[in-house]
């Protein structure tokens, strides 16, 4: 084509700075085709002036109108001078852009018209004979024309003579249109063929390849494939145990799949100008892909499948769900790396030495734990905990051993249950219950600790401790109760120590009472300061001074109230406004101190009741003792000083459970203990 673009400058005032472009290669989706009949008079559509031929866009309602006018022109033997083929094709085959162009022209105060040629001219009878019919393929997808030497007959002095001539590109276009070539004529190629004098059967027009439609489909936003590669690190060192993603997990409201809307195909035309419409693409209902744990989320008009809560995504034949439990079939080891899971998980094999799993919810283990486990909620272990640390209490002042690096299990807010035993390990469920069958060489901290079998050389700290089997050479510290069936010693130098920690209620309450007294002293001091400041006010009578203070305070609080006062009162306020602000600040402090004292008094009352109740429930009961055993109680001030102890602070524990502040209940090689605090 001679032009691929239409610009406003090419059809109207060239001085305009704005240019709007429309591609003649674009297609449009309309139900009106080029052969549609129209009722509008063609004389109103086209205006032929001295400056060219123009299409009136106000009258143009369909490409069929324009096509019919072109039929009349070309079939009558005319052709265009300086035609704008890009504009012609725009009107015929990209009509959807025309209304937009019309609107733009009107906004720019330009005539709503398109120039298609500078004029038209009749082809002479002699030249009409040099054009012949093209060859159109059966499927109307292309057309060919035989180019050769052409001659016209000239008569001069009653003598007829054959004179060689050439085809004219614009005449050629007009004659091909009249011979049913309506679409895809490559005028740039035609110009070259005619100019170069190329001969032979050549393609002159081709249909435009159809623009394919696309069915609606789903695009995955988040990979569900596990990534076993080592996780990249910004630092110089890389932890070879931390993988990119050994367990695929998603967060709440995370986008999993995106619906890609269907895209309609665009119509195309045969070389005869026959419109062909594509198939209608299929749509999908995104809701049919939903299953448990997913929902449809719409962002900026786009539909997504998102996760209702944290979990493990699963896709089965395009049905998307979020599982609340994940199963590690091979355990936590080199195949998984260190792992952090956001929901419940089941570990069917061992947690290997040196590896760690952290859970935001509950964890269930079917194999041994030889590494590290941390969970927010319950931990269920259907096998054993096996650590590396072996330590012994040599005497009441010395500890020998090494740090626990494996066999560590910590539960922050739930319970821990162990089906078999813990060996050389560490257990902590400060706010929950710990239940284990047998325990050896281990450190255990919990709210309630129950050992259903035997324990050997263990340190146990809890509110309540119950040992159903035999306890050998153990150090036990409780705040509420200790129950043991049988206590024995493993070595003579390692005694059994069973200690009840009794809160020093008197000292604890005295702390709050001392704070109350301190607040009262502050109250009195600040009140005296207020009295001194009020005493500066110009009245002998203290009652009147306080009334003046309240009045001036209101002036400071309410500016409208201040503006309503007399000049004399305003002057008084300005003189004392600094004192007013200081008094208000002091009064606020006094009110806060009074509120704090009320809370402290209430706290003292509640703690007195709690301490009394806790003390009446304290007891130690040991059915049988064989071997040197010390049963005792100690008083403490802050419970957290004892129960926040960890495995690395055993020296502190030894000092805590020995010394002059200890009261012996039982210290012997043989016997039993049934002690209750309320009997003291």
């Amino acid at each position: 084509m001679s032009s691929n673009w239409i610009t406003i400058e090419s059809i109207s005032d060239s001085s305009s700075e704005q240019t709007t472009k429309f591609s003649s290669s674009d297609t449009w989706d309309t139900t009106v085709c080029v052969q549609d009949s129209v009722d509008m008079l063609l004389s109103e559509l086209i205006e032929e002036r001295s400056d060219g031929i123009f299409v009136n866009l106000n009258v143009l309602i369909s490409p069929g109108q324009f096509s019919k006018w072109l039929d009349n022109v070309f079939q009558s033997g005319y052709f265009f001078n300086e035609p704008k083929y890009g504009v012609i094709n725009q009107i015929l085959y990209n009509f959807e852009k025309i209304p937009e162009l019309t609107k733009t022209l009107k906004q720019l105060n330009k005539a709503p018209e398109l120039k298609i040629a500078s004029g038209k001219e009749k082809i002479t009878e002699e030249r009409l004979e040099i054009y012949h019919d093209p060859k159109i393929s059966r499927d109307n997808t292309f057309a060919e024309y035989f180019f050769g030497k052409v001659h016209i007959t000239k008569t001069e002095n009653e003598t007829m003579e054959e004179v060689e001539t050439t085809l004219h590109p614009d005449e050629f276009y007009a004659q091909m249109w009249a011979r049913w070539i309506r679409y895809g004529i490559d005028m740039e190629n035609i110009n070259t063929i005619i100019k170069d004098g190329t001969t032979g059967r050549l393609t002159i027009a081709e249909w435009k390849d159809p623009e394919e439609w696309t069915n609606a489909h789903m695009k995955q936003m988040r990979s569900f494939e596990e990534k076993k590669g080592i996780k990249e690190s910004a630092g110089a060192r890389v932890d070879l145990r931390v993988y990119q993603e050994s367990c695929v997990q998603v967060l709440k409201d995370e986008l999993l799949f995106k619906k890609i809307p269907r895209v309609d195909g665009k119509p195309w035309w045969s070389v005869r100008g026959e419109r062909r419409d594509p198939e209608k693409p299929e749509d999908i209902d995104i809701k049919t892909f939903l299953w448990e744990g997913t929902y449809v989320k719409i962002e900026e008009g786009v539909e997504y499948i998102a996760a209702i809560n944290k979990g493990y995504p699963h896709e089965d034949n395009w049905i998307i769900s979020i599982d609340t439990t994940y199963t590690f079939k091979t355990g936590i080891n080199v195949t998984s790396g260190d792992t952090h899971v956001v929901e419940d998980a089941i570990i069917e094999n061992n947690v290997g030495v040196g590896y760690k799993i952290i859970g935001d919810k509950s964890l269930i283990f079917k194999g041994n734990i030889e590494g590290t486990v941390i969970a927010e909620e319950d931990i269920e272990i259907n096998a054993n905990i096996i650590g590396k640390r072996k330590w012994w209490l040599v005497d009441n002042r010395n500890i020998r051993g090494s740090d626990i690096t494996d066999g560590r299990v910590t539960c922050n807010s739930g319970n821990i249950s162990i089906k078999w035993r813990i060996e050389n390990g560490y257990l902590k469920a400060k706010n929950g219950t710990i239940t284990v069958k047998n325990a050896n060489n281990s450190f255990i901290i919990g709210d309630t600790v129950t050992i259903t079998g035997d324990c050997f050389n263990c340190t146990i700290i809890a509110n309540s401790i119950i040992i159903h089997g035999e306890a050998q050479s153990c150090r036990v510290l409780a705040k509420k109760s200790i129950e043991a069936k049988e206590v024995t010693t493993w070595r003579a130098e390692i005694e059994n120590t069973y200690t009840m920690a009794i809160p020093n209620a008197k000292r604890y309450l005295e702390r709050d009472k001392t704070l109350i007294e301190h607040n009262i002293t502050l109250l009195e001091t600040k009140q005296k300061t207020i009295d001194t400041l009020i005493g500066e006010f110009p009245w002998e009578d203290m009652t009147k001074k306080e009334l003046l203070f309240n009045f001036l305070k209101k002036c400071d609080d309410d500016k409208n109230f201040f503006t309503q006062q007399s000049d004399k009162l305003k002057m008084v306020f300005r003189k004392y406004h600094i004192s007013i602000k200081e008094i208000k600040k002091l009064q606020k402090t006094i009110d806060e101190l009074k509120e704090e004292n009320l809370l402290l008094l209430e706290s003292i009352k509640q703690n007195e009741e709690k301490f009394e109740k806790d003390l009446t429930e304290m007891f130690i009961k040991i059915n049988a003792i064989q071997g040197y055993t010390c049963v005792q109680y100690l008083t403490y001030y802050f419970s957290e000083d004892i129960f926040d102890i960890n495995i690395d602070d055993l020296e502190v524990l030894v000092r805590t459970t020995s010394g002059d502040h200890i009261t012996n209940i039982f210290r012997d090689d043989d016997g039993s203990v049934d002690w209750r605090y309320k009997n003291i």
Side-chain angles (χ1 to χ4, degrees):
M1 302 296 175
S2 61
S3 175
N4 286 330
W5 297 92
I6 304 175
T7 67
I8 290 175
E9 290 175 341
S10 70
I11 60 176
S12 189
D13 186 2
S14 61
S15 65
S16 172
E17 295 182 358
Q18 290 183 272
T19 301
T20 304
K21 292 187 175 183
F22 301 93
S23 173
S24 63
S25 63
D26 291 343
T27 58
W28 66 293
D29 187 6
T30 178
T31 58
V32 183
C33 68
V34 296
Q35 278 86 20
D36 287 345
S37 61
V38 292
D39 298 324
M40 184 68 66
L41 292 174
L42 296 180
S43 59
E44 297 181 15
L45 177 64
I46 304 298
E47 184 176 357
E48 298 185 37
R49 304 195 300 258
S50 60
D51 57 341
I53 302 174
F54 295 84
V55 178
N56 187 342
L57 300 183
N58 285 332
V59 176
L60 182 64
I61 61 173
S62 76
Q65 268 182 295
F66 186 55
S67 178
K68 187 171 184 179
W69 180 79
L70 290 176
D71 285 345
N72 292 341
V73 171
F74 294 143
Q75 289 177 2
S76 299
Y78 286 89
F79 70 97
F80 290 139
N81 291 322
E82 299 179 356
K84 296 180 177 294
Y85 293 116
V87 177
I88 293 171
N89 286 328
Q90 178 77 31
I91 298 173
L92 291 172
Y93 307 113
N94 204 9
F95 189 78
E96 66 175 357
K97 301 291 186 180
I98 298 302
E100 182 183 346
L101 176 60
T102 304
K103 181 180 178 181
T104 302
L105 289 171
K106 290 179 178 179
Q107 289 174 346
L108 297 174
N109 295 319
K110 296 182 178 181
E113 59 185 19
L114 290 176
K115 183 177 181 180
I116 59 173
S118 61
K120 67 181 182 188
E121 184 178 341
K122 185 84 169 178
I123 304 174
T124 63
E125 292 294 332
E126 292 84 357
R127 291 194 61 81
L128 278 175
E129 294 179 357
I130 67 176
Y131 296 100
H132 58 81
D133 292 339
K135 178 68 174 179
I136 301 176
S137 65
R138 291 184 178 181
D139 58 3
N140 295 323
T141 59
F142 67 94
E144 295 176 337
Y145 189 87
F146 184 81
F147 291 90
K149 292 183 178 181
V150 292
H151 300 80
I152 59 173
T153 302
K154 281 192 174 183
T155 302
E156 187 174 351
N157 298 325
E158 297 181 354
T159 302
M160 297 176 61
E161 182 182 3
E162 294 286 332
V163 179
E164 185 176 345
T165 187
T166 59
L167 304 179
H168 189 288
D170 297 329
E171 289 180 352
F172 185 86
Y173 180 89
Q175 283 300 296
M176 293 305 101
W177 179 283
R179 289 169 168 81
W180 291 103
I181 304 297
R182 304 295 175 85
Y183 181 82
I185 299 179
D186 187 351
M187 287 305 297
E188 184 175 346
N189 185 43
I190 298 300
N191 276 306
T192 301
I193 292 172
I194 294 175
K195 180 179 179 181
D196 295 345
T198 305
T199 60
R201 186 170 172 175
L202 304 175
T203 300
I204 59 171
E206 289 183 293
W207 75 332
K208 183 176 182 236
D209 291 335
E211 296 190 24
E212 295 292 338
W213 46 265
T214 304
N215 289 330
H217 59 281
M218 302 299 293
K219 178 182 178 182
Q220 192 166 358
M221 306 291 291
R222 173 73 157 82
S223 173
F224 290 179
E225 295 183 4
E226 296 178 353
K227 300 176 182 178
K228 300 296 186 182
I230 302 302
K231 188 174 183 179
E232 294 182 4
S233 173
R237 301 179 64 184
V238 175
D239 190 343
L240 298 179
R241 294 173 305 178
V242 180
Y243 295 170
Q244 290 179 328
E245 192 170 45
S246 60
C247 168
V248 182
Q249 304 170 76
V250 295
L251 301 177
K252 180 180 179 181
D253 297 322
E254 185 173 347
L255 304 180
L256 308 178
F257 282 82
K258 174 184 179 181
K259 177 184 175 180
I260 306 299
R262 64 183 178 185
V263 177
D264 291 335
K266 295 185 178 181
W268 62 94
W269 285 265
S270 69
V271 294
R272 291 183 179 272
E274 298 164 337
R275 176 185 168 119
R276 299 184 181 183
D277 292 312
E279 295 181 26
K280 191 69 174 176
E282 295 179 359
D283 198 6
I284 57 175
D285 182 359
I286 194 172
K287 294 179 181 178
T288 61
F289 296 88
L290 300 181
W291 200 246
E292 296 178 355
T294 57
Y295 73 104
V296 176
K297 185 176 184 179
I298 300 177
E299 290 187 357
E300 299 180 353
V302 180
E303 292 182 306
Y304 296 89
I305 294 178
I308 295 176
N309 289 305
K310 296 186 294 184
Y312 311 101
H314 180 70
E315 181 266 323
D316 183 9
N317 196 24
W318 287 102
I319 302 299
I320 317 302
S321 62
I322 304 297
D323 297 335
T324 56
T325 302
Y326 184 86
T327 300
F328 291 87
K329 294 186 179 298
T330 59
I332 305 300
N333 44 49
V334 69
T335 64
S336 66
D338 288 351
T339 302
H340 183 172
V341 291
V342 298
E343 278 287 342
D344 297 343
I346 299 173
I347 297 84
E348 293 189 343
N349 213 315
N350 297 342
V351 177
V353 174
Y355 288 92
K356 178 194 297 184
I357 179 170
I358 300 174
D360 292 347
K361 292 291 187 71
S362 298
L363 299 176
I364 297 176
F365 298 87
K366 296 183 179 181
N368 293 332
I369 294 176
E370 299 175 356
T372 301
V373 173
I374 301 173
E376 288 297 321
E377 298 181 5
D378 295 345
I379 298 174
E380 178 184 333
I381 303 166
N382 293 297
N384 307 291
I385 298 175
I386 303 173
K388 287 185 177 179
R389 176 167 181 150
K390 294 183 179 180
W391 53 270
W392 295 269
L393 298 174
V394 178
D395 54 34
N396 281 347
R397 290 178 176 80
N398 299 299
I399 294 174
R400 185 177 67 202
S402 58
D403 291 338
I404 287 183
T405 56
D406 290 293
R408 298 177 67 101
V409 177
T410 302
C411 184
N412 294 327
S413 59
N415 305 318
I416 301 174
S417 65
I418 305 164
K419 185 174 182 180
W420 299 115
R421 65 186 172 92
I422 176 171
E423 183 91 28
N424 306 322
Y426 173 86
L427 277 178
K428 186 173 183 179
K430 185 180 176 182
N431 300 310
T433 298
I434 295 176
T435 304
V436 57
K437 184 174 182 180
N438 296 312
N440 298 323
N441 296 316
S442 297
F443 195 92
I444 303 172
I445 301 176
D447 178 66
T448 299
V449 174
T450 300
I451 299 176
T452 60
D454 302 330
C455 60
F456 163 73
N457 194 31
C458 292
T459 296
I460 305 172
I461 302 175
N463 282 313
S464 297
I465 300 170
I466 304 172
I467 304 171
H468 293 286
E470 180 182 350
Q472 298 182 25
S473 303
C474 293
R475 185 173 293 268
V476 174
L477 178 62
K479 286 174 61 180
K480 186 175 180 180
S481 64
I482 300 173
E483 295 181 73
K485 181 180 179 181
E486 183 179 2
V487 173
T488 63
T489 55
W490 174 56
R491 290 181 180 177
E493 67 269 23
I494 304 180
E495 66 180 29
N496 293 302
T497 304
Y498 290 78
T499 305
M500 181 64 68
I502 301 174
N504 189 337
K506 181 179 179 181
R507 187 178 175 186
Y508 188 89
L509 297 175
E510 283 177 353
R511 183 198 63 173
D512 288 348
K513 291 177 180 178
T514 301
L515 186 55
I516 290 175
E517 292 174 358
H518 175 70
N519 288 346
I520 291 173
T521 302
L522 282 177
L523 283 169
E524 293 173 350
T525 301
K526 295 186 181 299
Q527 187 60 54
K528 287 179 181 179
T529 305
I530 290 176
D531 293 342
T532 300
L533 291 171
I534 292 179
E536 299 174 356
F537 293 169
W539 260 312
E540 294 295 331
D541 187 348
M542 182 57 96
T543 302
K544 291 183 178 180
K545 288 178 183 289
E546 290 180 353
L547 288 173
L548 178 60
F549 163 68
N550 291 330
F551 174 80
L552 296 177
K553 178 177 178 294
K554 189 173 182 180
C555 288
D556 188 62
D557 293 338
D558 189 348
K559 302 304 179 185
N560 292 329
F561 180 78
F562 170 76
T563 57
Q564 296 170 6
Q565 307 309 312
S566 64
D567 292 340
K568 184 176 181 179
L569 287 172
K570 290 180 180 178
M571 185 174 63
V572 173
F573 174 78
R574 292 189 181 98
K575 181 177 179 180
Y576 295 103
H577 79 279
I578 295 178
S579 296
I580 293 297
K581 291 184 179 298
E582 183 64 23
I583 292 170
K584 288 171 64 180
K585 183 178 179 181
L586 290 167
Q587 190 63 55
K588 181 180 179 182
T589 303
I590 289 173
D591 293 341
E592 290 174 350
L593 288 170
K594 288 180 178 179
E595 179 66 25
E596 184 179 349
N597 278 355
L598 289 174
L599 293 174
L600 287 170
L601 288 170
E602 181 64 26
S603 174
I604 290 171
K605 180 181 177 181
Q606 292 177 357
N607 285 328
E608 285 177 339
E609 295 173 353
K610 181 179 183 299
F611 289 143
E612 185 64 28
K613 182 176 182 295
D614 289 346
L615 292 174
T616 59
E617 295 177 350
M618 286 183 181
F619 72 91
I620 302 175
K621 184 175 178 59
I622 303 175
N623 294 339
I625 297 175
Q626 295 179 359
Y628 192 76
T629 300
C630 178
V631 181
Q632 58 193 12
Y633 69 86
L634 60 83
T635 57
Y636 67 93
Y637 186 22
F638 296 112
S639 62
E640 49 266 32
D641 289 345
I642 294 176
F643 287 90
D644 276 351
I645 198 168
N646 59 48
I647 190 67
D648 301 317
D649 297 325
L650 282 176
E651 293 86 350
V652 177
L653 178 62
V654 170
R655 291 194 297 271
T656 301
T657 56
S658 61
D660 296 337
H661 62 297
I662 300 296
T663 301
N664 290 324
I665 299 172
F666 177 93
R667 186 179 288 271
D668 207 338
D669 292 332
D670 187 53
S672 63
V673 173
D674 188 359
W675 173 89
R676 296 182 184 275
Y677 181 85
K678 65 181 180 180
N679 295 331
I680 298 177

